């Protein structure tokens, strides 16, 4: 029997709702918040207010685009965490209200697992490539960098993580130093295509096992810019593309070096990437090239599933609902990943 899931995502600054029938996407609506750009980062209070304004029209649009009414929904999947507490609270509270009003079961979803399981979304007109279990997923976003072993939709183990800054943070903080707009990652990616990736050398971390560190790279970048600007105040403007190209190359190489090590240690050769930074062209090209050298099957998410979206929450909720993992009415949002484990 078909299962229809309404997904709700509000962990940061995007309000999103999606409808899936089994794992086939029927609609995926996202309302982004432009208000944060002028501040160079997300302002939690402003994000919460925007979610309150957006949540009802976004959910209504998702249902109408899917051709589904609320009484035909089998379950509501919502992001419980991690994320901004005020933003999460809007989505969780709305899900509870809709659940009570229509007597619909709820399923709570780990936002990061949603990114990983986005590889199992299909479109109405075509089936997308799915990795086989077990597979490794490099999850790279603004707040998290992890290597995850995925044995099933419900068996997910973090085998490597960042001990300080995430890769996305490194992109955004270095972009801010260069005066680039927020979010900085996509701008760096675009400028990198015009620069020489061998122009600068930045510090690389030495971290044991499969863990990551990007704080030293970020500091090395800052010192390079500071020292060069002392000699030439117009240094950034003159060498912006080269800085972006060298920074992106370094981050991608750091990410892939540990991923190669994880594949060797586990013997797993189905390799996926997910999260906002998985849209980066350097990382996408790098993992494909590495896969060709090492005999991997590589899986890149559709661009529309790289950023925060409710489709990934719905597909994760679909698997949890199938296994009877329902949320209780007292389920509360949590900001930190550790509170979900």
């Amino acid at each position: 029997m078909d299962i229809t899931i309404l997904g709700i995502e509000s962990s940061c600054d995007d309000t999103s709702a999606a409808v899936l029938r089994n794992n086939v996407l029927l609609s995926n609506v996202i309302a982004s918040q432009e208000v944060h750009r002028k501040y160079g980062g997300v302002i939690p209070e402003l994000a919460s207010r925007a979610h309150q304004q957006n949540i009802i029209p976004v959910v209504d649009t998702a249902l109408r685009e899917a051709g589904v009414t609320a009484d035909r929904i089998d379950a509501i999947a919502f992001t419980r965490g991690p994320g901004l507490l005020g933003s999460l609270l809007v989505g969780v509270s709305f899900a509870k209200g809709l659940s009570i009003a229509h007597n619909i079961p709820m399923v709570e979803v780990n936002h990061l697992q949603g990114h990983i399981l986005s590889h199992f979304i299909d479109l109405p007109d075509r089936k997308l490539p799915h990795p086989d279990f077990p597979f490794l997923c490099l999850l790279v976003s603004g707040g998290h960098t992890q290597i995850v072993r995925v044995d099933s939709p419900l068996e997910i183990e973090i085998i490597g993580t960042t001990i300080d800054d995430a890769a996305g943070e490194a992109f955004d903080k270095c972009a801010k130093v260069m005066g680039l707009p927020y979010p900085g990652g996509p701008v760096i990616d675009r400028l990198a295509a015009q620069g020489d990736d061998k122009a600068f050398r930045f510090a690389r971390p030495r971290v044991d096992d499969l863990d990551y560190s990007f704080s030293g790279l970020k500091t090395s970048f800052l010192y390079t810019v500071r020292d060069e600007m002392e000699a030439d105040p117009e240094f950034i403007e003159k060498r912006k593309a080269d800085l972006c190209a060298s920074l992106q190359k370094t981050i991608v190489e750091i990410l892939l070096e540990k991923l190669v090590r994880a594949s060797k240690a586990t013997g797993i050769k189905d390799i996926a990437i997910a999260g906002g930074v998985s849209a980066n062209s350097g990382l996408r090209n790098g993992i494909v090239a590495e896969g060709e050298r090492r005999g991997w099957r590589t899986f890149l998410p559709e661009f529309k599933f790289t950023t925060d979206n409710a489709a990934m929450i719905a597909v994760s909720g679909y698997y949890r609902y199938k296994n009877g993992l329902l949320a209780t009415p007292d389920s509360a949002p949590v900001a930190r990943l550790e509170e979900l484990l």
Side-chain angles (χ1 to χ4, degrees):
M1 186 175 68
D2 288 337
I3 297 172
T4 303
I5 303 289
L6 169 66
I8 296 174
E9 155 63 17
S10 67
S11 64
C12 190
D13 61 333
D14 287 329
T15 312
S16 182
V19 178
L20 264 70
R21 182 160 294 130
N22 301 325
N23 66 325
V24 177
L25 183 64
L26 303 183
S27 66
N28 188 32
V29 178
I30 302 173
S32 298
Q33 302 175 6
E34 297 296 321
V35 66
H36 306 285
R37 289 186 181 274
K38 64 180 178 180
Y39 299 104
V42 177
I43 307 300
E45 178 62 26
L46 295 180
S48 301
R49 293 179 183 179
H51 282 304
Q52 290 177 317
Q53 295 172 341
N54 293 336
I55 187 74
I56 291 177
V58 163
V59 171
D60 179 65
T61 301
L63 290 171
R64 284 191 290 105
E65 287 188 0
V68 173
T69 55
D71 61 322
R72 301 299 299 272
I73 296 294
D74 293 298
I76 304 166
F78 63 88
T79 303
R80 185 180 175 215
L84 301 176
L85 197 56
S87 294
L88 290 165
L89 185 60
V90 175
V92 173
S93 299
F94 183 87
K96 287 183 179 181
L98 193 62
S99 169
I100 292 170
H102 293 276
N103 194 29
I104 305 171
M106 297 186 299
V107 183
E108 62 183 50
V109 173
N110 178 327
H111 175 83
L112 302 181
Q113 292 182 1
H115 274 299
I116 295 165
L117 294 180
S118 66
H119 285 282
F120 295 90
I121 300 170
D122 283 330
L123 302 179
D125 60 341
R126 59 192 169 103
K127 184 178 176 67
L128 299 177
H130 300 174
D132 291 333
F133 299 107
F135 69 93
L136 296 179
C137 185
L138 175 62
L139 175 59
V140 203
S141 68
H144 298 87
T145 300
Q146 301 173 343
I147 300 175
V148 182
R149 176 180 174 133
V150 187
D151 290 308
S152 79
L154 302 180
E155 297 174 288
I156 297 175
E157 177 189 5
I158 298 171
I159 60 175
T161 190
T162 181
I163 62 174
D164 44 55
D165 287 351
E169 287 178 292
F171 275 123
D172 287 339
K173 290 177 180 178
C174 292
K176 192 170 185 178
V177 171
M178 292 185 283
L180 301 179
Y182 175 86
V187 183
I188 288 177
D189 191 13
R190 186 172 66 252
L191 289 172
Q194 307 166 23
D196 177 5
D197 62 13
K198 299 181 179 63
F200 298 97
R201 291 180 60 85
F202 302 118
R204 294 170 182 262
R206 294 185 178 181
V207 181
D208 292 337
D209 301 321
L210 299 177
D211 289 337
Y212 288 105
S213 168
F214 291 96
S215 63
L217 166 63
K218 179 192 67 178
T219 302
S220 173
F221 181 90
L222 298 179
Y223 283 158
T224 297
V225 171
R226 183 199 64 182
D227 293 345
E228 294 288 350
M229 286 191 68
E230 288 180 356
D232 181 4
E234 297 183 0
F235 164 74
I236 290 180
E237 194 59 38
K238 293 177 180 177
R239 305 296 303 276
K240 192 176 293 182
D242 291 342
L243 284 168
C244 290
S246 300
L247 175 68
Q248 178 161 292
K249 178 186 178 184
T250 305
I251 290 178
V252 169
E253 288 178 348
I254 291 169
L255 290 170
L256 293 181
E257 187 272 331
K258 289 297 180 79
L259 188 57
V260 168
R261 190 181 301 181
S263 177
K264 289 180 178 178
T266 61
I268 296 173
K269 293 194 172 185
D270 270 25
I271 311 292
I273 56 174
V277 182
S278 67
N280 179 275
S281 64
L283 179 57
R284 294 173 82 91
N285 294 337
I287 194 171
V288 169
E290 201 70 62
E292 290 174 351
R293 283 194 293 270
R294 301 182 182 278
W296 294 349
R297 289 204 312 157
T298 53
F299 298 87
L300 310 180
E302 298 259 319
F303 283 107
K304 59 187 171 185
F305 299 141
T306 58
T307 55
D308 293 346
N309 65 90
M312 69 185 196
I313 303 304
V315 76
S316 184
Y318 164 70
Y319 289 111
R320 294 182 67 81
Y321 178 76
K322 281 181 64 177
N323 284 272
L325 300 176
L326 302 182
T328 59
D330 61 352
S331 179
V334 294
R336 298 173 59 83
L337 176 63
E338 293 78 6
E339 299 175 77
L340 287 170
L341 301 178

